[in-house]
């Protein structure tokens, strides 16, 4: 947890409460556990002040019920009082494992369904809570962030709609294009990235990496992820490269122009370990093709780091890519739903984000500066120094 001295000399906005529905319950339980530990160990005088009753609790989590009628219509039900609380609502719009019955048919919840449930929760909370903050790790409709021709502008409209409902702060992770916050220029919008969790998870599992310019390179799979790759490479002190997706703009396949080839722009990768970084794995076709070309260029190992592992076409293609040695490791966060079978794959590494989210909640509840959370450069340098020196238990921090 970064720089707790700020919290030791500040007061909370109001007693904190973490709300979630079934979509993000496993992650919320981990966040709650860290938040309880933070408050117990924090040397803050206000936690014993009767005026700040509720500062230190055994549980900050409340699950919100979102039952459905037989027609498929829903509602949100609060199971406890939230009056005067600083509310943080955590929701995973990508959790397709949750089902409901409509007219006798079983339906899997879509992002649209989860978004409607979020609005129901806000409606149930509004007028009672001191402040409402929404934590939506995967930004709803984030891929429809700009308008081309006669199209809807779903992401910007959704954010504006939530702010109009009374949300004060919106927290997301690795937004496909964070410029959508321009739709609410005078409201709180925070977009966090997980580079520290990526490198920490990777170094925990790989004990023989050498992170320097001669042995490692960071690659962006397309031009859209270049900023992430440049930052990651600079922090690690290694070179960076990029693949350019050459498309056939004369035809349309599935509503998109098909990719003709991936053209590589960068230095020689012969014999180097390659870290490919991006915001998400959707179907995974582009990522597998990138890894295949990297191995053809004689890359030693290919490690894929993506914030969201959606795997919309299943895992069989990645199983095949692993068997053919195209991909050595895949690192994704637990910010969105992970199929149970994913965690059993020999190539998969989970980057746990629960402690990070708990830190965000704690700092925001104190109205403290988020600068140390936004830029984890120093923390990455510290863990790299310990790893390169092969210190005992270097990663148990």
């Amino acid at each position: 947890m970064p720089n707790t001295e700020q919290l030791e000399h500040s007061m909370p906005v109001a007693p904190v409460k973490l709300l979630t529905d079934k979509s993000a319950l496993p992650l919320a339980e981990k966040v709650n556990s860290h938040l309880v530990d933070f408050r117990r160990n924090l040397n803050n005088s206000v936690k014993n002040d009767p005026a700040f009753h509720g500062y230190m609790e055994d549980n900050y989590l409340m699950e919100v019920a979102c039952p459905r009628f037989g027609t498929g219509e829903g509602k949100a039900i609060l199971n406890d009082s939230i009056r005067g609380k600083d509310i943080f609502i955590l929701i995973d719009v990508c959790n397709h494992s949750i089902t409901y019955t409509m007219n006798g048919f079983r339906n899997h919840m879509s992002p649209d369904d989860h978004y409607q449930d979020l609005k129901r929760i806000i409606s149930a909370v509004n007028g009672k809570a001191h402040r409402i903050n929404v934590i939506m790790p995967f930004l709803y409709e984030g891929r429809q962030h700009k308008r081309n021709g006669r199209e809807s502008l779903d992401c910007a409209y959704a954010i504006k709609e939530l702010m109009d409902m009374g949300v004060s702060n919106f927290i997301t992770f690795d937004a496909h294009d964070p410029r959508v916050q321009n739709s609410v220029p005078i409201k709180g919008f925070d977009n966090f990235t997980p580079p520290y969790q990526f490198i920490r998870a990777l170094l925990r599992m790989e004990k023989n990496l050498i992170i320097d310019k001669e042995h490692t390179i960071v690659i962006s799979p397309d031009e859209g992820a270049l900023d992430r790759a440049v930052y990651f490479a600079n922090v690690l002190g290694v070179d960076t490269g990029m693949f350019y997706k050459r498309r056939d703009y004369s035809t349309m396949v599935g509503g998109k122009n098909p990719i003709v080839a991936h053209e590589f722009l960068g230095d020689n990768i012969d014999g180097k370990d390659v870290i490919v970084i991006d915001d998400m794995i959707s179907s995974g076709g582009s990522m597998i093709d990138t890894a295949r070309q990297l191995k053809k260029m004689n890359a030693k190992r290919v490690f894929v780091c993506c914030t969201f592992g959606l795997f919309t076409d299943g895992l069989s293609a990645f199983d095949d890519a692993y068997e053919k040695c195209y991909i050595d490791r895949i690192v994704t966060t637990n910010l969105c739903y992970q199929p149970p079978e994913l965690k059993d794959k020999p190539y998969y590494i989970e980057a746990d984000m629960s402690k990070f989210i708990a830190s965000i909640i704690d700092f925001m509840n104190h109205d403290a500066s988020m600068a140390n959370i936004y830029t984890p450069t120093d923390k990455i340098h510290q863990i790299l120094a310990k790893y390169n020196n092969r210190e005992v238990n270097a990663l148990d921090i």
Side-chain angles (χ1 to χ4, degrees), residues 336-347:
C336 65
Y337 172 71
Q338 300 163 294
E341 61 271 20
L342 175 63
K343 295 184 179 183
D344 296 329
K345 299 298 182 181
Y347 51 80

Side-chain angles (χ1 to χ4, degrees), residues 147-166:
R147 178 181 286 132
N148 293 315
R150 292 182 290 273
E151 293 183 342
S152 58
L153 194 56
D154 297 17
C155 186
Y157 179 78
I159 295 171
K160 185 178 185 304
E161 184 179 30
L162 294 180
M163 297 304 187
D164 289 344
M165 291 184 70

Side-chain angles (χ1 to χ4, degrees), residues 28-257:
E29 289 173 341
K30 289 184 176 182
V31 172
N32 177 63
S33 178
H34 288 301
L35 194 57
V36 170
D37 288 341
F38 290 167
R39 294 290 173 95
R40 284 177 179 171
N41 297 324
L42 186 66
N43 184 24
N44 190 325
S45 59
V46 304
K47 68 182 182 182
N48 297 318
D49 190 330
F52 291 93
H53 175 72
Y55 184 85
M56 189 171 63
E57 298 283 354
D58 294 329
N59 180 42
Y60 299 97
L61 177 62
M62 184 177 78
E63 183 180 356
V64 181
C66 293
R68 298 270 175 163
F69 297 99
T71 56
E73 300 164 287
K75 62 179 179 179
I77 303 173
L78 303 179
N79 298 315
D80 199 359
S81 173
I82 46 82
R83 191 171 297 278
K85 301 292 196 299
D86 191 17
I87 300 296
F88 289 83
I89 305 172
L90 177 61
I91 190 161
D92 177 13
V93 297
C94 290
N95 192 337
H96 58 271
S97 69
I98 301 174
T99 61
Y100 65 93
T101 302
M102 182 178 70
N103 291 10
F105 295 95
R106 171 173 279 191
N107 291 334
H108 285 264
M109 289 188 69
S110 69
D112 289 346
D113 292 320
H114 287 299
Y115 178 65
Q116 287 301 119
D117 277 353
L118 171 61
K119 292 196 292 183
R120 293 181 178 110
I121 295 171
I122 294 170
S123 177
V125 168
N126 224 345
K128 308 170 187 69
H130 178 82
R131 186 174 67 175
I132 302 174
N133 312 277
V134 170
I135 305 175
M136 185 187 290
F138 185 91
L139 182 57
Y140 172 71
E141 290 290 0
R143 301 175 77 174
Q144 184 54 19
H145 60 278
K146 61 183 178 181
R147 178 181 286 132
N148 293 315
R150 292 182 290 273
E151 293 183 342
S152 58
L153 194 56
D154 297 17
C155 186
Y157 179 78
I159 295 171
K160 185 178 185 304
E161 184 179 30
L162 294 180
M163 297 304 187
D164 289 344
M165 291 184 70
V167 173
S168 298
N169 296 297
F170 189 90
I171 301 107
T172 191
F173 289 81
D174 221 341
H176 200 63
D177 189 343
R179 289 176 296 181
V180 296
Q181 67 184 286
N182 293 338
S183 62
V184 285
I186 59 174
K187 294 288 187 176
F189 184 101
D190 291 283
N191 178 49
F192 296 97
T193 55
Y196 171 71
Q197 286 76 16
F198 280 157
I199 195 63
R200 189 167 183 264
L202 185 59
L203 296 184
R204 274 182 176 273
M205 298 301 296
E206 296 293 332
K207 307 298 184 183
N208 60 348
L209 283 172
I210 302 176
I211 309 293
D212 60 28
K213 288 187 177 182
E214 288 71 37
H215 299 88
T216 308
I217 187 170
V218 175
I219 297 296
S220 170
D222 55 39
E223 55 274 24
L226 185 58
D227 288 345
R228 299 179 185 90
V230 168
Y231 170 76
F232 204 45
N234 286 337
V235 173
L236 298 184
V238 301
D239 288 329
T240 187
M242 183 189 80
F243 276 93
Y244 170 70
K245 292 180 179 178
R246 184 155 55 87
R247 297 179 180 271
D248 181 2
Y249 288 98
S250 65
T251 59
M252 293 284 287
V253 177
K256 296 186 295 185
N257 301 109

